[in-house]
């Protein structure tokens, strides 16, 4: 990820308003104050010809290619964490879902649920981050909605983004096509997002603190396509981490996967935090890191294509598909033992995205 | 609205699960419990070829006509109220935004934010209502997302729907084209949604209780188009009610509007509740009632087209556009006085949708 675009609390530019000004219920009523909020706070940050009329719907282009739609709610806590914030996350998360589905991201809708009492300066920081992320990825925010709920009925700020893209050719075959022998590549060190959010939420004083991988994957996906890498399937490893993706792929394809733990890239910060908390990095969420199942002949091309893009500059081969065994996913641990890798059942990491 | 499809608490079918089963944080983790929730509770109610693969994105059709996108967050409290519920509201609200923008609604995404502790039976009732509303309006729920936040970080259940439709011909000119002399038609009695929600929330024992107008407008809009009614602009009068729409149109077109209060249809229940609470029905939200600005020669056709659809069977001419005066909107009150109609500033009616 581009370090210069981080929005850590310490690096943030001064807020544009006095700290005291906050969101009130009247900002959500659809009347004059709602329009003021939209015109003064939201529109100036993401002005474009579709959003400008402030209608309830945006009339976009005809699409001779098939359109692709995805949606995600973002409820991360805290709103700002090392390496990212809810605004950037809500754009990259949706852009990445489109990219790994084989689409070129084009348009985004932005739906805000604000808690009464939220500092308008906080909202402004988040919107600045949304706008910067949209610009970086070339998507346009074409329509939106703002609701306000009373104190205690939400936690600060939730964002739902919906992305619309157009299908790019060639399309990936998808997880059903994965065959024994296919190679599993990860686009970078894993577990960074989950550990950054957990450490920030609980005030763990790790030095250096883990930093989120929150970043867009569309450029890297485009690179794989341009180079003609024989990709079977792609997936960003978000909630549930690498383990969740491999379990889904095993279900879909009927193969098993074996991973080589020693080959899985993990930063020292993430490794330290995971050991402290008793977590396996393979279960921890990422927000700018993807798995690629690739035909064996295409592995070198795949790695080279990824290395050309800063977000995915440290990819690694971490495993392969094999004939179905009893366990859908097996890890050869560093000490040589082979262990089944459980599917994440849930619960250790709420509100990670 | 079709009375037989109401989902009042008293008429609701038995829940499908023991009351005690509730949403846990693990349901939101992206692991096995998330997939169980989706496969057992969500998918069976809205099964279709796009949703079925449970990918993060849905690959839809090519669209030779221009696509139209709209999004809305729904945070209504209570979740169930006479005449509707959050599920139906979240579908009709988005369908109506597309319809009044001149589009034929086709696809919907559904993003859920669930509070830990929500009864799964409640979620099931809401999803049944979403599915029924989608079926009634001919839209398909093609993708979705589910997040869970801890107790106290949300209030039960929030839904964000994003709708994608294709632009229908002929397109309406829009509010900029409104001219002095144009006639303002309302498609039915106003203020029903806002008063139904307020009465339900505060346990006002009104007899009969006001019932929401929560209903789809796409069929009525299609009827106007089929009949070739010379519509200038259309808008469903949601938050801020009739007053908010007319103020927006006055801003856009540079005309003023005069309303004849005696001609504005208001049911006795809504009138009674508004008098009790000191509210003007012109400021109260609707969820299945629209304003139409129509050329004078088309008024009869407009009324006839509306009367053919059950949702809009009682339309009325309530005012007209005139050259700009000091006030953007003026009401001739029942007793003959002319008064400026304020733009709603906000605040009396939080969480109405």
């Amino acid at each position: 990820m581009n370090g210069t675009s981080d929005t850590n609390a310490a690096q943030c530019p001064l807020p544009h308003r006095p700290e005291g000004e906050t969101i009130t219920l009247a900002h959500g009523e659809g009347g004059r104050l709602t329009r003021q909020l939209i015109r003064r706070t939201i529109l100036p940050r993401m002005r474009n010809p579709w959003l400008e009329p402030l209608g309830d719907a945006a009339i976009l282009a005809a699409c001779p290619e098939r359109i692709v739609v995805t949606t995600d709610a973002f409820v991360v806590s805290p709103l700002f964490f090392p390496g990212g914030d809810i605004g950037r996350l809500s754009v990259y998360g949706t852009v990445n879902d489109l990219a790994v589905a084989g689409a070129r991201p084009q348009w985004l809708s932005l739906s805000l649920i604000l808690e009464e009492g939220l500092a308008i300066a906080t909202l402004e920081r988040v919107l600045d981050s949304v706008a910067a992320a949209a610009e970086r990825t070339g998507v346009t925010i074409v329509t939106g909605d703002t609701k306000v709920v009373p104190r205690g009925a939400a936690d600060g700020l939730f964002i739902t983004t919906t992305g619309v893209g157009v299908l790019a050719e060639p399309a990936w075959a998808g997880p059903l096509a994965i065959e024994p022998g296919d190679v599993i590549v990860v686009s970078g060190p894993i577990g960074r997002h989950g550990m950054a959010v957990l450490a920030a939420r609980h005030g763990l004083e790790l030095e250096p603190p883990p930093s989120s991988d929150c970043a867009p994957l569309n450029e890297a996906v485009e690179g794989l396509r341009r180079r003609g890498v024989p990709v079977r399937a792609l997936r960003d490893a978000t909630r549930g981490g690498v383990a969740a993706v491999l379990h889904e792929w095993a279900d879909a394809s009927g193969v098993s996967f074996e991973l080589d733990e020693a080959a899985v890239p993990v930063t020292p910060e993430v490794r330290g935090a995971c050991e402290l908390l008793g977590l396996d990095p393979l279960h921890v969420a990422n927000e700018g890191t993807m798995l690629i199942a690739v035909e064996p002949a295409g592995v070198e091309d795949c790695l080279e294509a990824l290395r050309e893009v800063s977000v995915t500059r440290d990819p690694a081969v971490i495993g392969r598909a094999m004939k179905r065994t009893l366990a859908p996913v097996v890890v050869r641990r560093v000490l040589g033992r082979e262990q089944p890798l459980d599917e994440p059942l849930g619960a250790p990491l709420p509100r990670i995205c």
Side-chain angles (χ1 to χ4, degrees), chain A:
Chain A
M1 209 185 64
N2 184 342
T4 60
S5 64
D6 282 1
T7 310
N8 295 344
Q11 303 165 354
C12 183
L14 284 176
H16 313 168
R17 288 167 185 264
E19 271 300 328
E21 210 172 337
T22 60
I23 291 291
T24 65
L25 288 175
H27 283 117
E29 280 315 296
R32 198 183 304 166
L33 284 173
T34 305
R35 285 162 69 198
Q36 272 183 13
L37 181 74
I38 292 171
R39 283 187 195 282
R40 293 183 189 170
T41 306
I42 301 179
L43 188 60
R45 292 178 161 75
M46 38 199 81
R47 204 176 281 282
N48 65 66
W50 295 276
L51 197 59
E52 189 85 35
L54 294 180
D56 281 331
I59 299 176
L60 306 172
C63 298
E65 286 86 35
R66 297 171 73 184
I67 63 170
V68 181
V69 176
T70 186
T71 194
D72 264 307
F74 294 88
V75 298
V76 65
S77 166
L79 298 176
F80 304 88
F81 45 83
D85 60 76
I86 190 171
R88 188 185 310 181
L89 195 61
S90 70
V91 173
Y92 294 157
T94 291
V95 160
N96 290 350
D97 279 348
L98 288 175
V100 301
R104 294 200 175 96
Q106 299 226 351
W107 301 293
L108 228 60
S109 70
L110 185 75
S111 165
L112 304 171
I113 298 175
L114 311 177
E115 184 188 10
E116 179 190 15
L118 178 75
I120 290 187
T122 302
L123 176 63
E124 290 181 327
R125 277 179 64 189
V126 170
L127 292 171
D128 283 338
S129 180
V130 165
E135 191 174 340
R136 177 173 177 192
T137 49
V139 297
T140 309
I141 293 168
V142 293
T143 190
D145 183 48
T146 307
K147 293 286 178 355
V148 180
V149 297
R151 258 173 232 279
D155 186 14
L157 166 61
F158 300 146
I159 300 181
T160 294
T161 48
T162 304
V164 181
V166 295
L167 199 61
E169 295 295 339
W172 322 113
L176 277 82
I178 296 173
E179 290 180 7
D182 286 348
V183 174
I184 302 300
V185 171
V186 69
S187 67
I190 67 167
R192 288 175 286 165
H193 178 70
M195 296 325 294
V197 171
L198 267 197
R201 189 186 306 161
H202 298 296
L204 306 182
E205 303 206 341
L206 306 170
E207 203 46 59
S211 180
S212 171
D213 60 333
C214 179
L217 291 166
N218 55 325
E219 195 187 339
V221 172
E222 202 60 45
L224 293 170
R225 189 178 288 115
R226 207 168 35 235
R227 197 183 270 259
V229 175
V231 168
R232 304 273 196 202
L234 272 181
R235 180 70 66 82
D236 51 334
T238 54
R239 282 184 291 180
V242 168
V245 173
L246 291 179
H247 273 274
E248 278 194 46
W249 283 0
D251 269 13
S253 63
V255 304
S256 283
F257 295 98
E258 59 174 0
L259 292 184
D260 178 5
E261 188 179 30
V264 176
V266 182
T267 63
E269 307 89 273
V270 167
R271 189 176 304 286
C274 278
E275 282 174 5
L276 194 69
L277 298 169
L279 295 169
D280 185 337
L282 291 167
H283 282 132
V284 177
N286 308 276
E287 283 292 345
T289 303
M290 61 182 163
L291 290 186
I292 304 151
V294 60
E295 294 178 35
V299 172
E300 281 313 313
D301 264 359
C302 178
L303 294 171
E304 276 176 45
L306 293 172
R307 286 186 193 117
E308 282 173 4
V309 177
S310 70
V311 169
T312 56
R313 64 184 171 270
D314 295 316
V317 169
I318 60 169
R320 61 180 190 91
M322 56 186 183
K323 274 202 186 142
R324 189 58 176 252
T325 60
L326 205 57
V329 188
V330 172
V331 192
R332 194 168 51 254
R333 294 292 177 185
V334 175
L335 298 177
R337 255 182 322 139
E338 290 219 334
Q339 279 186 330
L341 179 68
D342 285 342
E343 187 179 358
L345 245 181
L349 305 172
R351 298 188 65 188
I352 216 70
C353 60

